[in-house]
Amino acid sequence: MSEPVIILVRPQLVENIGMVARAMKNCALHQLRLVSPRDHWPLQQLQKERMEAAASGAEDIFANTRIFHTTADAVADMQTVYATTARPRDMVKEVITPRRAADEARTRIKAGEKIAFLFGPERTGLENEDLQCAEKIINIPANPDFSSINIAQAVLLMAYEWYTSGYEGPMCKMELGKTVPASKKELNSFFSRMESELEICGFYTNPDMKPAMQQNLRNAFLRASLTEQEIRTLQGVLTALADGPKRSRKVS
Amino acid sequence: MSEPVIILVRPQLVENIGMVARAMKNCALHQLRLVSPRDHWPLQQLQKERMEAAASGAEDIFANTRIFHTTADAVADMQTVYATTARPRDMVKEVITPRRAADEARTRIKAGEKIAFLFGPERTGLENEDLQCAEKIINIPANPDFSSINIAQAVLLMAYEWYTSGYEGPMCKMELGKTVPASKKELNSFFSRMESELEICGFYTNPDMKPAMQQNLRNAFLRASLTEQEIRTLQGVLTALADGPKRSRKVS
């Protein structure tokens, strides 16, 4: 098992279980366990349908979902368990952020450990007896004046932190399609032509300001990270403007 | 305005608008704008109720919600706009992660800029015309086989990244309640007593192994980061075990 297990303790609403499945699949998680769900499994047809509608394409998660009577049973084969709870408890335990938990879990899983994230029932949250099964507590940073997070949202945030802790893509990337960034030669050829056309048009009324104006215009275009194709288009724009209004074009 | 504006373009379901409000308030965001929502505002009573039920305590967001006809109108007073979309488009634009966008936005807002995050309609996502209003595209990292994220979940993830980009709390913290970590003196006094009690009980059958066994036991207890109170309890545990079964206690 190369991913953490998501455990919902005494979940109340089948819609939430469905949304949890969707959030899990969005973040490439597949192992769901339920401890004493309010509605007994296998679910009745109507409830199954409501859950699957909320899962919105992630119903395959339910084929592997395992049901347990107690939290202790559900975590019996785990080696490290992280419990999510917003409430401070009268017990001595390490409290960490979702991001730190995701990083730790990834390191532990790479070393072969079995890891679970525990989520409590909708209204009441995890009981002390559940927290007793967990090494650490995850506290999701949230507005202190409105910190109650829906269970599917909590699972999403934790699953997202798990997914992004393994994200190796770029933080930023220019989407270029079929074109490539312009070379300095292409850029400079455009700049020189623009500057000589502007000279011809009498744009530089104050010769002392000319170097600064040229520099500012070059910087503005540089910031746009222009492509080869865009330089060709801008050369065409210069030609059209320099040629002036076409006699053949009818202007109303 | 010291926070980014959330703009939903042509949102379809009032329940999603409600869940967006909840996600925003969870992350201390308050400014919501809607571009041509499917259901006209002010909403009819029934729809208003469905939206407020989904907002689950965040209804105050709607008191400040502003409605616009076009995306261009909605962003007219903004200085930098980030558009969230999962789809690669046939246009040259910088694509960044939510985390990078949140960091950038925080820097810009500190410098006095007005920033917006744009989210598209449920099924179709943002159109090219909407993307034309945005400097950059935010691509939420997700399972490539199941990347369709509910709009409220997308807002939550972006709002969460915004919130955590300003989070200055600890990544991990031992929750101690009213007690304090044990001092080395208290720890060593416990270790010495445990070791002498074990000596008396004949625990060290192989004298050569004794130093290693003591070291391992000390390390196991050290990893627990024991508190003053716990050391006192463990001293009591040692006393109780060393005294052996109490004659006065009735054992059935």
Side-chain angles (χ1 to χ4, degrees):
Chain A
M1 199 185 312
S2 59
E3 54 173 76
V5 175
I6 300 294
I7 304 178
L8 306 185
V9 178
R10 300 180 295 279
Q12 305 294 297
L13 302 174
V14 289
E15 287 83 356
N16 281 337
I17 301 174
M19 287 194 290
V20 162
R22 181 176 184 180
M24 286 175 62
K25 199 172 173 187
N26 277 147
C27 300
L29 294 179
H30 308 85
Q31 309 288 330
L32 176 63
R33 298 183 179 184
L34 308 178
V35 176
S36 293
R38 191 189 64 183
D39 301 307
H40 291 289
W41 281 48
L43 293 170
Q44 293 178 332
Q45 189 57 28
L46 185 66
Q47 296 199 312
K48 190 161 175 283
E49 281 165 14
R50 281 163 50 205
M51 180 175 73
E52 289 181 349
S56 193
E59 304 87 73
D60 49 326
I61 299 286
F62 304 127
N64 298 317
T65 297
R66 295 176 62 190
I67 313 294
F68 295 84
H69 277 294
T70 68
T71 304
D73 288 344
V75 301
D77 58 333
M78 296 290 117
Q79 284 155 306
T80 303
V81 175
Y82 297 86
T84 59
T85 172
R87 302 191 191 168
R89 303 277 177 161
D90 190 22
M91 49 173 77
V92 179
K93 225 179 256 285
E94 200 181 354
V95 180
I96 64 178
T97 62
R99 196 156 301 164
R100 170 65 65 92
D103 283 345
E104 272 190 22
R106 194 165 284 276
T107 304
R108 287 174 184 270
I109 281 173
K110 270 189 192 150
E113 265 193 53
K114 290 184 174 179
I115 305 289
F117 295 124
L118 219 56
F119 298 84
E122 283 88 341
R123 282 194 199 163
T124 53
L126 292 166
E127 301 291 328
N128 282 1
E129 202 183 316
D130 305 310
L131 296 180
Q132 212 46 71
C133 299
E135 271 73 14
K136 302 193 183 192
I137 287 175
I138 297 171
N139 190 216
I140 299 177
N143 180 358
D145 297 329
F146 191 71
S147 65
S148 159
I149 297 176
N150 167 272
I151 184 174
Q153 308 278 57
V155 170
L156 175 72
L157 290 177
M158 198 55 238
Y160 167 79
E161 287 287 8
W162 162 258
Y163 191 79
T164 54
S165 74
Y167 176 77
E168 289 173 345
M171 291 289 276
C172 65
K173 183 188 170 220
M174 191 62 76
E175 197 59 64
L176 284 167
K178 288 167 192 154
T179 183
V180 295
S183 70
K184 289 300 166 201
K185 192 179 161 194
E186 289 158 337
L187 261 178
N188 284 328
S189 139
F190 165 68
F191 288 155
S192 304
R193 201 175 141 226
M194 175 174 66
E195 286 157 7
S196 64
E197 294 288 0
L198 289 174
E199 188 89 67
I200 292 165
C201 300
F203 177 72
Y204 304 110
T205 48
N206 181 345
D208 290 347
M209 297 291 286
K210 183 174 151 184
M213 291 174 87
Q214 287 186 341
Q215 183 180 288
N216 292 346
L217 261 178
R218 282 188 177 222
N219 276 333
F221 279 104
L222 270 177
R223 281 201 307 278
S225 303
L226 296 165
T227 67
E228 236 175 32
Q229 175 59 54
E230 287 162 349
I231 287 289
R232 280 197 294 274
T233 305
L234 285 170
Q235 292 274 21
V237 167
L238 269 188
T239 304
L241 289 173
D243 285 357
K246 287 243 174 70
R247 298 296 162 209
S248 60
R249 194 193 292 160
K250 289 192 180 100
V251 179
S252 63
Chain B
M1 199 185 312
S2 60
E3 53 173 76
V5 174
I6 300 294
I7 303 178
L8 306 184
V9 179
R10 300 180 293 281
Q12 305 296 295
L13 303 174
V14 289
E15 287 83 357
N16 281 338
I17 301 174
M19 286 195 289
V20 162
R22 181 177 184 179
M24 286 174 62
K25 198 171 174 189
N26 277 148
C27 300
L29 294 179
H30 308 85
Q31 308 288 330
L32 177 64
R33 296 182 180 187
L34 307 177
V35 176
S36 292
R38 192 189 65 184
D39 301 307
H40 293 287
W41 282 47
L43 293 171
Q44 293 179 331
Q45 189 57 29
L46 186 65
Q47 296 197 313
K48 190 161 174 282
E49 282 166 14
R50 279 162 52 204
M51 180 176 74
E52 290 182 347
S56 195
E59 304 88 72
D60 48 326
I61 299 287
F62 304 128
N64 298 316
T65 297
R66 296 176 60 189
I67 312 295
F68 295 85
H69 277 296
T70 69
T71 303
D73 289 343
V75 301
D77 58 333
M78 297 290 116
Q79 285 155 306
T80 303
V81 176
Y82 297 86
T84 58
T85 171
R87 301 192 192 166
R89 304 277 174 160
D90 191 22
M91 49 173 77
V92 179
K93 225 178 256 287
E94 200 181 354
V95 180
I96 65 177
T97 61
R99 197 156 302 165
R100 171 64 66 95
D103 282 344
E104 273 191 22
R106 192 165 286 277
T107 304
R108 288 173 184 271
I109 281 174
K110 269 188 193 150
E113 267 193 53
K114 289 182 175 181
I115 305 288
F117 295 123
L118 219 57
F119 298 84
E122 283 87 341
R123 282 193 198 163
T124 54
L126 292 167
E127 301 291 328
N128 282 2
E129 204 184 315
D130 305 310
L131 295 181
Q132 214 45 73
C133 299
E135 270 75 13
K136 303 194 182 190
I137 288 175
I138 297 172
N139 189 215
I140 298 177
N143 180 358
D145 297 329
F146 192 71
S147 64
S148 158
I149 297 177
N150 166 273
I151 184 176
Q153 308 277 56
V155 170
L156 175 72
L157 290 177
M158 197 55 237
Y160 167 78
E161 287 287 8
W162 162 260
Y163 191 79
T164 55
S165 74
Y167 176 77
E168 290 174 343
M171 292 287 278
C172 66
K173 183 187 170 222
M174 191 62 76
E175 197 60 64
L176 285 167
K178 289 169 194 154
T179 182
V180 294
S183 70
K184 290 301 166 198
K185 191 180 160 194
E186 288 159 336
L187 262 177
N188 284 328
S189 140
F190 165 68
F191 287 155
S192 303
R193 201 175 141 223
M194 175 174 67
E195 287 157 7
S196 65
E197 292 288 359
L198 289 174
E199 187 90 67
I200 293 165
C201 299
F203 177 72
Y204 304 111
T205 48
N206 182 344
D208 291 348
M209 297 292 285
K210 184 175 151 186
M213 290 173 87
Q214 287 186 343
Q215 182 178 291
N216 292 347
L217 261 178
R218 282 186 176 223
N219 276 333
F221 278 104
L222 272 177
R223 282 201 307 280
S225 303
L226 296 166
T227 66
E228 233 176 35
Q229 175 59 54
E230 286 162 349
I231 286 289
R232 280 197 292 273
T233 305
L234 285 170
Q235 292 274 21
V237 168
L238 268 189
T239 305
L241 289 173
D243 284 357
K246 287 243 173 70
R247 296 300 158 206
S248 60
R249 192 193 296 161
K250 286 190 180 105
V251 180
S252 62

